Amino acid sequence: MTWDLWGTDDPVTSADNSLGDQETWTLVDSGLTGFESDPGRGAAAAPQVVNNSTAYGAYRLVFPTLRGGGGELMQIGDVLIEGTVVPEPSSIALLAMAMAVLGVRRR
């Protein structure tokens, strides 16, 4: 069982439950789910670390292969994507200049 995480900054115009092919998607990362053998009902997967340095406006999670390979169904109860956005150096410089200007205006 594998997963692919895709990202895009295009406006999402694909219809719900479609192939999602109306946007330009970039493969962010992929890996194994950790459910290669049956974990039993209600089991939770271990956290997956995604190697990515680019933040996207939208993400798409695809499971291209399932255990058993033919006609299997999978239900996902919850997906949590969390992370830290590190601002660009230019954003930090603009913030510092704005704070300096505000400090001068207050005096």
Side-chain angles (χ1 to χ4, degrees), residues 8 19 32 69 93 106:
T8 187
L19 295 176
L32 297 173
R106 287 190 153 197

Side-chain angles (χ1 to χ4, degrees), residues 82-105:
E82 54 184 21
T84 304
V85 177
V86 178
E88 309 172 43
S90 60
S91 298
I92 294 171
L94 287 173
L95 179 62
M97 286 191 306
M99 304 252 322
V101 167
L102 287 175
V104 170
R105 289 192 91 182

Side-chain angles (χ1 to χ4, degrees), residues 26-67:
T26 301
L27 181 62
V28 174
D29 202 359
S30 61
L32 297 173
T33 63
F35 288 140
E36 287 69 43
S37 61
D38 188 353
R41 187 176 183 105
Q48 303 287 323
V49 176
V50 174
N51 296 317
N52 181 37
S53 60
T54 304
Y56 292 96
Y59 291 90
R60 178 174 72 170
L61 183 60
V62 179
F63 297 91
T65 60
L66 299 177
R67 186 178 54 246

